[in-house]
Amino acid sequence: MITAILAMDDRCGIGKYGMLPWQNKADMKFFKETTRGAGNNTIVMGRKTKESLLNWFPLPDRNNLVMTRTPMEEYHITSFGEAIERSSLDGDIFVIGGREIYIKAFKEGFVDEVLVSRIKGDYCCDTFLEHEELHKYFRLYSTHKQAQGLMVEIWKKKD
């Protein structure tokens, strides 16, 4: 299964100045537990997302891959095909951002489902992932309430 996972505010904002503009413990816990799984999952991110992780990169207990045109260390990939080749056969793949990587994954049909954590409020974001971009490739399948009132939408690829 290949899943995109992201959080967005009430205005579909996903970032500000290259960082998450909110501190939401419930969302961070959901992200960590979901992407970690049994420790055999792969996460795919863009260079800017990797840089935003600062000292937390690589994220532990996950195979970290960075999609970039500029070669870098062992984490570098240039295509989603490479991500599949370098992922564990018994693990899942998660696309974790940023916007350009999400859009590329959607357009190339790489993603089967999208998990969207809804963060209440307007955080004056400068980076957005509009609903139209989701609706183009996916349909809203369900909404679930997680711990501490976090709402998570599950979007499935259109047939």
Side-chain angles (χ1 to χ4, degrees):
M1 171 75 76
I2 301 171
T3 304
I5 186 168
L6 60 114
M8 68 173 55
D9 73 5
D10 291 342
R11 293 186 51 233
C12 299
I14 62 171
K16 183 175 181 178
Y17 307 129
M19 306 290 284
L20 281 179
W22 49 75
Q23 298 266 330
N24 186 299
K25 289 181 182 180
D27 178 53
M28 294 310 272
K29 181 179 180 191
F30 174 74
F31 174 86
K32 181 179 178 180
E33 290 175 356
T34 302
T35 60
R36 182 182 281 170
N40 57 345
N41 290 337
T42 297
I43 55 174
V44 178
M45 68 193 84
R47 177 190 50 81
K48 293 176 189 173
T49 298
K50 182 232 182 233
E51 290 171 358
S52 76
L53 294 173
L54 305 170
N55 297 327
W56 298 300
F57 183 86
L59 295 178
D61 302 320
R62 287 154 275 199
N63 178 23
N64 291 248
L65 298 175
V66 180
M67 186 173 290
T68 178
R69 291 178 289 271
T70 307
M72 55 180 290
E73 310 154 13
E74 63 191 277
Y75 305 105
H76 171 252
I77 59 171
T78 58
S79 71
F80 292 114
E82 279 185 77
I84 293 171
E85 290 172 14
R86 293 181 57 184
S87 66
S88 169
L89 294 176
D90 59 344
D92 293 323
I93 298 174
F94 290 89
V95 177
I96 68 166
R99 182 184 188 284
E100 291 177 38
I101 299 300
Y102 290 131
I103 298 300
K104 181 176 176 61
F106 298 167
K107 283 182 180 176
E108 292 183 14
F110 183 70
V111 172
D112 300 309
E113 73 176 6
V114 182
L115 303 177
V116 179
S117 295
R118 289 296 181 167
I119 308 299
K120 290 290 180 200
D122 177 355
Y123 289 83
C124 301
C125 293
D126 58 15
T127 307
F128 299 87
L129 187 67
E130 301 296 339
H131 266 118
E132 292 77 31
E133 293 166 315
L134 284 173
H135 283 286
K136 197 182 298 183
Y137 305 101
F138 304 93
R139 63 181 172 75
L140 181 59
Y141 180 76
S142 63
T143 303
H144 299 275
K145 189 172 187 174
Q146 302 291 321
Q148 298 173 310
L150 179 68
M151 296 302 292
V152 177
E153 298 172 349
I154 300 174
W155 294 72
K156 297 281 187 182
K157 185 187 279 187
K158 289 182 176 178
D159 298 328

